Structure formats: C-alpha cells, structure tokens
Amino acid sequence: MVLTTEREPEHEVVIEMSESKGKVLTLEQARARADTYLRYNIDTMETADRWKIPRRFNVKVGKFGLAKLLFKEFFKYFGHWETVFSRPCTYGVFSGPVGGFSPRPNLCVGCLRCEVQHPDFVTVTPNGELRALGDKYLTWRHISTIDEEARKGSVPVRGQGYRGRFGGPGFDGMFTDMSEIVRPSRDGIHGRELIGTQVDIGKKPMHLEFDGNGAICNEPEMMTIQVPFLYSAPPTNLDDDRVVEIMASAAAKVDTLALLPVDVVNRLELGGANVAPIVNCAGCEVPEGTRLVELRQWDEQAHDALENKGLLVSVAIDMSGDWRADMKEARLGGASILHLYADHHGLDGEDGFLMDTLAEAHTNLVNAGIRDEITLIGSGGIAGADHLPKAIISGLDAVGLDHSLLVAMQARLSGDTKERNSATVQLPDDFDNAWGLQRVVNLSCSWRDQMLEILGAMGVREVRRLRGEFGRSMRCSVLEAEAFGEIEGYPGGGD
Amino acid sequence: MVFSPSEPKAPTPTLMSKTLHLMHDGLNARAFSKAPKPEALGDARWTDDLILATWFMAETGEMPENFNYMTGKSNGGFDRLDFKFIPEQEWLEHGEHLDTRLNLNRRDDGRQQLTPDLPIYGGGMSYGSVSVNVMMARARNAKRWNSFMSTGEGGYPSELYGMKENVITQVATGYFGVEEKSIKATPIVEFKYAQGAKPGLGGHLLAAKAGEEVAKIRGSVPFVSLFSPFPFHSTYSVEDHMKHIDWIQTINPEALISVKVSTPHDVDMVAVGSFYAGAHIIHLDGSYGGTGAAPEIAKKNIAMPIELAIPKVHKFLIKEGVRDKVTLIASGGIRTADDVAKAIALGADGVVFGTSDLVAMGCTRCSNCEGGPSGRGCPWGLTTTDIELKEWVQQDWGEERLYNFYAAVQWRLRDIMRKLGLSAIGDLRGRTDLLRYISGGEA
C-alpha cells in the first residue's frame, strides 16, 4: 500500500498489493480499513474469589503484651501520638478499629516485621489450612497461584528470587533456554504482543502438490486455535452443567476448543465452532458448526465415517495402557490428530512422566517422517503455567487443561486426584456462570501471557516453532552430570 | 499505568527513634536466640537458620554457633556440595596471611589493577528498586573492603559521587540514568545484558516506586512504570558488543569492562565472545538470583542455576586458552561464605552478593520488594523509596551491618582455605577435587 505522508483527507491511497490491487482509497477510507484490523486479545477483569481461599498466615497478638506496650509508650512518648500509635505493619493487619487487639491476618504477607519487633507478644505462623490443599502433584502453591491468576488475569510478579528446591521432580527438572543477544522478537515486554500463539490442529501434508494448472491438490485440512491449549472434558463424576457451559463459553471467548461429551453438548445445545464433541461412534449426532470431534478410542471405521462428514477427528489415547501401540495403530489407520491422556500427575501406566513420554511420542513421529502430518495433543499433569511451554517443548502441538480449570473455578478436589474421574469436586456455593466464565478466561490470559514471557526470553516468534524443540530446554539432571560428574560422591561420577 | 501515591510523610525524630530501636533490638533478639525462630521465616534456599545466621554475623562480625550458616535445604547445587578437608593436623593457621584478594584485571592491557580484599563485590540494585540509604550503606562498606558495588540500572544519585572509586556504573538495556559523567567517574563499567532472575525479559520498575527523584535521575516522569527492554537493541553480535565497549572506553579509557549475562545453554560461548570483545570481567548471573520484581514463572524456569553454569564456562575458557586472561564472577544464589568457596572451587574467580547484603540489613525474604499490597515497597526500608519507610535503614547502621557480615564471611573463607591447606583463595579456583557431592536422601 502506498500512503501519502500529507495528512489532508483529499489525498489518495493506491493499493498496490493483494486482491484489491489498483483500487483507490481516500486517506480516510484507508484509515477506516486499517482500523478493522483487530489484534488478538483476551479481555480480563478482576473477579473476586467466591470461596475465600485460606489465608497465608495466622497472626496472634498477646493482648496483655500489647496493652503493656501501649501503656509504656503512652508515657514515654506522651504528646507524640503518632509515635505512640505507630504500627509495624504497612499492610493494615493492625489497622482495624481496635488495632492489634483484633488483628486482620488475611492482610498479612509474612514480612515478619511485627514478630521481629515484638518477639514477646506477636507470632506469625504459616496457615496449615492453606498448606493442606491439593496433593503432592497439584500442590497448595499451584492452587494458590491458579487462584491468583484466575482472580486477576495477569502474570504473577513478585520480588526476591526463587524460593524452592533445586530443580526437582517432573517438570521442575526442566529449565527453558533463553537467547542473550540474537533474536527475532527483540523488544522485551513491548514485543511480546507480536509473538504468535496460534496453533493448527488437523492434517498437514509434508509438502504441497500441484496439478497441471498450478492448483493445490492436497490442501491442509485443519483448523486454527488462538492459544496452544484447549479445555479437556471435566471428570465424569462432576455432574454440573454449569461447568460444561462455562467451558464452552470460555472456549468461544478465547477462541480455543472445549472437548465435551456429545450427549451433554446436544442436551445443552452447546454446539459451535469452539466445541468439540467427544463421541463413541460415527453415528452420533453432532451440532451444526462443529469443526472437530474426538473419538473416545481408535475405531477405524468410525474415524473414516466422521472424516467423510467433513469433520476433523481427534483420537483419544489412554496412556495408562499400551499407548505406544495404540498410537501407532491409530496413525497407521489414518488418524491425524492424537490426544494422549496421562493421569493427573502426568504419568503413564508405567509411571513414565510427560517430559519423557511426550518426547518419545514426538520422536517416534519424527523418525517415521510424518511429524508434520500429525497433531499431538496431551492432557493430564498440567498444574502450572510453566508446564505449558515445557509440554510443548516435549513434543505437543497443543495442551489440554483439566484440573487447573476446576481450580480456577474454585472447585475443591478431594479423594484420589491422580486418577481421572475419581476425585470428588465441590464447587463454591454461590457459583454462577458469568463468574466462572471470567475466572477461566482470566486463567487463560494469564497462562498465555506467561507463555509469551518464556517465548520472549527465547526470542521465538511463534509457539508453533517451540514444538519438540528439545534444544530450547535444559534437563537439570544432564546439566548436573556435566557440572558435578567429576566430583567425588556424584552418582556415577568422580571417585 | 499511573500510580496515585498517598500523602507521603517523613517520620518524626521520635518515631524514628522508637522504630529503629524496636527493629534493631528485634533483629538481635532473634539472632542471639533470645526469642524463638519465627515459624514463618525462611524457605528452601534461604532457611530460617541462614537468615538468622546472617543477622548474627551482621551484628557481631563472627560466626554463630546456634545456626547452620553453611547450607540451605534446596536439596541440590551448593546445598549438596561439601569440602574435602585435609586431616586436622595439617591445617594452616587461621590469620591475615591467608590471602582472600581478587584480581579483576587479568588482561595485561595497561589499565588499572583492581584487587578487592575479598573475592566479593556488591551486585547491581538500582536507585528506585532500593533507596539512596541502602546504596550508600553498600558503597561505604565496599570502600572499607577496597571493593565495589554496582549502581544497577537506575542512574547515579549525586551522593554516590563521594564514593565513586568504589561504585560500578551499570549500563543496561534501557540506558536509564547513563551519563558521560557517571561513566567517567567509575573504575568499572558493567554492561548488563540480562539478569538471572528474569533472563531475557528486561527490567520493570513499578509505578509506585518511580517517585520524583527516581524519575528525575532516570529521565522520566514520576509514578509511571519504567520498562527496560531486552536485549540491547544495538547488539546483534560480538562485533556490536565490541563497539559498545569501544564507546565506553573512549569516554573512560581506564575503566575495566564487566559483562553481566545470564545462564542460557550457550553461556560458555557468550562468555568467550565477551572476552574477545574486550571484557575484563565475565559476570554470570544464575537463575536463582534476586530481583526487585520478576514474573514468578521466570525465576525458576528460565536458564540454569549458577552452580551448573560456572564449571561449564570455566572449562570452556580453559579449552579456548583464555581462562587466565579474564575474571569470572558468579552471582545469583550465592548466600554464604561456603557458597563463595564452592563457587570458586567450581571455577569462578569471585562472586557478587546481592540478596545477602539485604538479609544482613534485615530482609526476611517476604517477596514484597516490588511494592506488595501496600504499594509502598519493603516494610524493612530496603527495597523502597517511600519517604517514611526508607528511613528504617540508616546509612551508618547499614554500613556497619555489612562490614560485620563481610568480616564474618572473610573469617569463614579463611577457615575453609586453611582446612584445605590453601594460602590464597585463587588457588581454590576450579579445584573440584576438593569438593564432595552428598548424594542420596535429603542433603
């Protein structure tokens, strides 16, 4: 497009490219046309908790000690009332109507100034109720962080460095790489909006073929979602239509997919481009506008029949069984979208963790020379924003979210949370759709933005380029062996 | 985002007296075990013992008996390494003859020789992220150790010119506060390419902390968020980096050049590139390092911990034949004297302290440096420019606390050296044969 630099509206713009070549627009028309361009955006809004997550700290103040202090200071600083009534807390814990006599521990951030200053009558202790949430995989820290993300819709930012263990199990054992100098997305926080988070789901040919007239013979059959994650079906024992409705609405708002059982989809009339019904057979009715369906298990006839209806077909592969064989059978039978389901701790039936199992699944496809023809989706074990890029680095095209969505909706999970469909899920009493929808949208935005932080640090311009890029990650165990291998006592290392 | 500050008010002398008295007595009560350990204090990297031990050292200049002052409970890295001391009868005498000095210029290029008394100097903490009082306390401590502290990226408050021989001027990607005057004043110019806690993400001073003075020095307007982009927009290559160094050395031909980078997979290549561009000091900042504000996702996930980066770079510099021509400095999770010695044994020449300095001055690692819910910054007066809170750290007190802490660190370093039979800290460099890895169970 050639645009004259003068600002007068009578100046004309001549379009020199695209389908409108040669068309003449006034400057105003050109501006109006430019204004139709919308950058992808997820609208967040602070959405308060409906169930008050347990506070971080308990604060106890000895009333006698406090009274004694006030009495003493009343005389010592008589006339300097600001000094007498000064409080060690800048967060308002002692700023209620009767000050420290009735502290407000929900405001405590654990700076401990009060306890250090007044060791004789103030104690601050971690709240055991908060730490009892979750299990060994979906920990209280994950729950508390997801809660914050779903409430604010932003990236959690805090001061001080990392506070946890060195490396660690599961995804904690992977670090992502960064680029010090040379990088295509060079603008730090200002450039992150230019990083693409779209992913394609469907059948992509390894190369294009053309007929004698130059027309493409094998066009890709695929759809695009705006974020590299989708919403996996809630547990079957959660009998609450509101959750399903929220997932469908959130998927439409974020422009991703909600995988939901076909009977529920039909009963609640949830169809549309962003809902992917889960079906058992080719005969299942799916709503108009459906782009993708998921087969509960590999069935070649059903797969072909559904494809013949013009649908994209994902095939669920349960990783508790012989998933390698199931995957191979499905892809040899013509499946192009495979959805691997690990348990909620990210393990397969042989206790292999996602980082390894996904890498193996990805590598098998690479070795077979068909990686780009297959879309690999994975669900289970995604408990934090960092798990998203790590799962993609491990080989996924897109990641399914499950428990994290329920946590965003402040569901309390109890019982066995490792296995699918066995945990008891309790939703907040005053749960409603609008609230739940915004919480899920907020979480989606926060996780997308955190993905952008990781991609920005690497200098990667689009998330599609991260898939299976093992070289963009570092395994703690490998680095440790390199660094400490010659030191006495290191397992398998120096003598 | 525009932040509307509440009415700022400096504390009255009576309030100052009361508060400082209570804070200092409280720190000492905990450090001297006159009150129990606060249950909520500490985490896996900085345990309650490490924090209280640091408070003890900062008050006394000695090592505590009641606390583990050597390791945390992170179950890896430094916390899984120990020293292989020689038999007790072969230990050297503890004393000043044990040399803890660090040579910062190994290039033999005619520029000044800088040798701090300790293999330690102070890391960058910008004006804005901390107050002038904290900066001055650190600078005055550096002077007493013939050492340095870095301005961080936030300019050079005028008070610092009085300490200019001990102040490193940092040039970072936003060029905030970079002036010819501060480049000329400094013995070392530090290029900050990245920061370990948020590698590749640039910097961000939240609006609440960008007050009148901070904004003025940074050439901005008050109470507006200030972003430092990533990376240097004029640097695509080692040659571009060399050009950067040329600019600086045109203004100050005597200055040594330090290049601070984080720890990506190719950190070894980056280090060698920096050397060939003219750096005297390669400063590696590991991923578990401190920050005034960073996305939580960045802290633990991007780049590698410093323990894993040091040997990688050290070995590569040896392989390239340039190890003895450059000083390798490590930071990002160096907490104790034992960490210093382990970092050197892994291959560093020296280290940079950041969080440890703050802990010595009372930090409890509550993570509210960026403002927290109050929007005012650190309630201990460390990472804040709030007109009231900043007064909780007085320069004399801060300087004394840091001096004592560094004295204790030096004592412990000499203790380690003598038990290893080494009379100079430089002899420990790269001696992984003097380390033992504690495997199995929880270290």
Side-chain angles (χ1 to χ4, degrees), chain A residues 56-57 69 73 76-77 80 82-88 90-91 107 109-120 122 124-126 155-167 171-172 174-183 185-190 192 385-387 389-390 450-454 456-458 471 473-474 476 479-480 482-484 486-491 495, chain B residues 9 12 14-15 18-19 22-23 26-27 29-30 35 38-45 55 74-77 81 84 193-194 199-201 227 230-237 261-265 270 288-297 299-305 307-308 311-312 315 346 355 363-370 372-374 376-377 379-380 389 392 432 435-437 439:
Chain A
R56 290 171 63 202
F57 299 100
L69 177 84
E73 292 193 339
K76 189 173 178 184
Y77 302 114
H80 300 277
E82 193 182 80
T83 304
V84 173
F85 294 108
S86 70
R87 299 172 175 94
T90 57
Y91 303 103
L107 298 176
V109 299
C111 77
L112 304 182
R113 215 187 106 189
C114 57
E115 189 179 6
V116 170
Q117 273 192 211
H118 303 290
D120 41 345
V122 182
V124 177
T125 51
V155 176
V157 172
R158 287 194 189 86
Q160 277 297 356
Y162 174 58
R163 304 164 66 85
R165 58 183 289 156
F166 190 95
F171 281 124
D172 285 347
M174 179 195 277
F175 309 123
T176 59
D177 205 14
M178 57 84 66
S179 164
E180 206 72 61
I181 301 175
V182 182
R183 48 196 295 151
S185 58
R186 287 176 47 84
D187 290 305
I189 198 165
H190 299 295
R192 282 168 216 164
D386 62 306
H387 296 179
K390 289 176 177 177
Q450 290 179 74
M451 165 77 79
L452 292 181
E453 300 281 357
I454 298 283
M458 289 175 183
S473 68
M474 298 173 277
C476 187
L479 294 175
E480 273 188 322
E482 282 173 16
F484 301 152
E486 61 196 29
I487 295 175
E488 180 185 308
Y490 186 78
D495 47 27
Chain B
K9 204 171 174 188
T12 62
T14 333
L15 181 57
K18 171 191 160 179
T19 306
L22 284 170
M23 283 173 72
L27 289 171
R30 304 291 175 174
E39 252 187 73
L41 184 67
D43 53 68
R45 290 201 59 77
W55 290 356
S74 72
N75 204 31
L81 296 176
K84 282 164 59 181
Y193 273 79
L201 304 184
F227 295 100
F230 184 88
F232 278 110
H233 280 44
S234 49
T235 307
Y236 279 85
S237 63
V261 295
S262 59
T263 51
H265 196 270
V270 172
Y288 293 166
T291 170
E296 286 288 279
I297 193 170
K299 291 178 188 174
K300 129 182 195 299
N301 296 302
I302 308 178
M304 66 176 91
E307 295 95 317
L308 307 180
K312 188 178 177 74
K315 288 174 195 166
L346 287 171
T355 300
C363 170
T364 51
R365 297 227 335 138
C366 69
S367 299
N368 295 294
C369 325
E370 88 292 4
S374 74
R376 297 173 64 192
W380 294 91
L389 298 176
W392 304 154
T432 49
L435 294 173
R436 180 188 302 116
Y437 187 88
S439 58

Side-chain angles (χ1 to χ4, degrees), chain B residues 51-208:
Chain B
I51 293 173
L52 295 171
T54 305
W55 290 356
F56 183 93
M57 290 185 261
E59 186 62 26
T60 64
E62 295 171 5
M63 309 309 293
E65 289 177 1
N66 299 339
F67 306 118
N68 174 359
Y69 55 81
M70 295 176 280
T71 52
K73 290 181 178 169
S74 72
N75 204 31
F78 292 136
D79 294 341
R80 274 200 176 273
L81 296 176
D82 198 2
F83 299 102
K84 282 164 59 181
F85 291 136
I86 57 177
E88 193 170 344
Q89 61 272 21
E90 294 173 33
W91 289 359
L92 306 178
E93 282 293 311
H94 195 294
E96 291 189 3
H97 61 282
L98 299 174
D99 183 2
T100 56
R101 287 175 304 162
L102 166 68
N103 177 11
L104 291 175
N105 183 3
R106 294 161 200 255
R107 288 193 85 103
D108 195 21
D109 59 357
R111 288 194 178 81
Q112 58 192 321
Q113 289 297 317
L114 299 174
T115 45
D117 297 342
L118 283 171
I120 301 167
Y121 60 85
M125 288 187 215
S126 65
Y127 178 49
S129 75
V130 295
S131 68
V132 166
N133 281 357
V134 170
M135 291 183 100
M136 284 300 288
R138 298 182 78 216
R140 284 160 63 168
N141 172 58
K143 190 177 183 71
R144 288 170 77 173
W145 290 100
N146 192 28
S147 186
F148 308 93
M149 57 77 73
S150 167
T151 58
E153 186 191 20
Y156 207 106
S158 54
E159 290 91 329
L160 280 184
Y161 280 103
M163 318 294 299
K164 63 183 183 184
E165 291 82 8
N166 302 93
V167 175
I168 296 170
T169 297
Q170 187 181 88
V171 178
T173 50
Y175 296 96
F176 286 125
V178 175
E179 294 174 331
E180 192 173 322
K181 190 180 169 193
S182 60
I183 299 293
K184 277 185 171 160
T186 190
I188 303 173
V189 175
E190 177 179 271
F191 282 97
K192 186 181 93 168
Y193 273 79
Q195 184 176 336
K198 44 185 171 182
L201 304 184
H204 181 187
L205 185 72
L206 297 174

Side-chain angles (χ1 to χ4, degrees), chain A residues 45-324:
Chain A
M45 185 171 66
E46 178 122 7
T47 308
D49 292 351
R50 287 279 166 94
W51 168 61
K52 209 72 194 160
I53 192 162
R55 59 178 177 259
R56 290 171 63 202
F57 299 100
N58 291 322
V59 180
K60 279 188 188 165
V61 178
K63 294 186 175 43
F64 178 69
L66 176 59
K68 207 168 98 179
L69 177 84
L70 287 173
F71 184 75
K72 188 176 134 193
E73 292 193 339
F74 179 82
F75 292 104
K76 189 173 178 184
Y77 302 114
F78 188 81
H80 300 277
W81 305 120
E82 193 182 80
T83 304
V84 173
F85 294 108
S86 70
R87 299 172 175 94
C89 184
T90 57
Y91 303 103
V93 175
F94 308 123
S95 299
V98 287
F101 289 102
S102 179
R104 302 188 290 186
N106 52 316
L107 298 176
C108 179
V109 299
C111 77
L112 304 182
R113 215 187 106 189
C114 57
E115 189 179 6
V116 170
Q117 273 192 211
H118 303 290
D120 41 345
F121 63 89
V122 182
T123 51
V124 177
T125 51
N127 185 7
E129 210 184 320
L130 175 65
R131 287 161 193 246
L133 295 178
D135 62 15
K136 69 172 184 180
Y137 189 84
L138 182 72
T139 65
W140 67 270
R141 287 186 196 281
H142 288 123
I143 292 174
S144 158
T145 303
I146 291 172
D147 191 72
E148 180 187 342
E149 292 161 340
R151 186 169 63 250
K152 297 180 178 171
S154 57
V155 176
V157 172
R158 287 194 189 86
Q160 277 297 356
Y162 174 58
R163 304 164 66 85
R165 58 183 289 156
F166 190 95
F171 281 124
D172 285 347
M174 179 195 277
F175 309 123
T176 59
D177 205 14
M178 57 84 66
S179 164
E180 206 72 61
I181 301 175
V182 182
R183 48 196 295 151
S185 58
R186 287 176 47 84
D187 290 305
I189 198 165
H190 299 295
R192 282 168 216 164
E193 65 210 48
L194 301 174
I195 299 173
T197 56
Q198 288 182 333
V199 289
D200 305 320
I201 295 178
K203 203 177 265 187
K204 288 160 274 185
M206 296 299 285
H207 58 270
L208 292 177
E209 290 167 11
F210 300 89
D211 64 16
N213 298 321
I216 299 170
C217 305
N218 58 342
E219 279 196 27
E221 294 164 24
M222 61 188 192
M223 58 178 287
T224 300
I225 53 176
Q226 294 297 327
V227 286
F229 54 83
L230 41 83
Y231 307 146
S232 287
T236 50
N237 58 346
L238 173 61
D239 187 19
D240 194 312
D241 290 341
R242 295 172 301 176
V243 170
V244 176
E245 287 165 351
I246 286 167
M247 286 173 59
S249 309
K253 215 164 174 184
V254 175
D255 196 7
T256 180
L257 283 174
L259 297 169
L260 301 169
V262 68
D263 54 329
V264 180
V265 170
N266 287 331
R267 179 168 55 79
L268 298 175
E269 299 179 356
L270 294 176
N274 297 97
V275 171
I278 302 172
V279 300
N280 283 320
C281 59
C284 297
E285 283 297 319
V286 295
E288 204 168 319
T290 300
R291 293 183 290 176
L292 182 143
V293 294
E294 179 159 298
L295 259 179
R296 278 193 197 281
Q297 58 191 19
W298 173 241
D299 175 337
E300 191 167 346
Q301 276 186 333
H303 176 268
D304 293 349
L306 288 164
E307 274 201 343
N308 288 338
K309 288 183 184 176
L311 294 165
L312 294 170
V313 185
S314 163
V315 178
I317 308 240
D318 182 355
M319 295 183 88
S320 67
D322 188 356
W323 59 268
R324 295 170 185 85

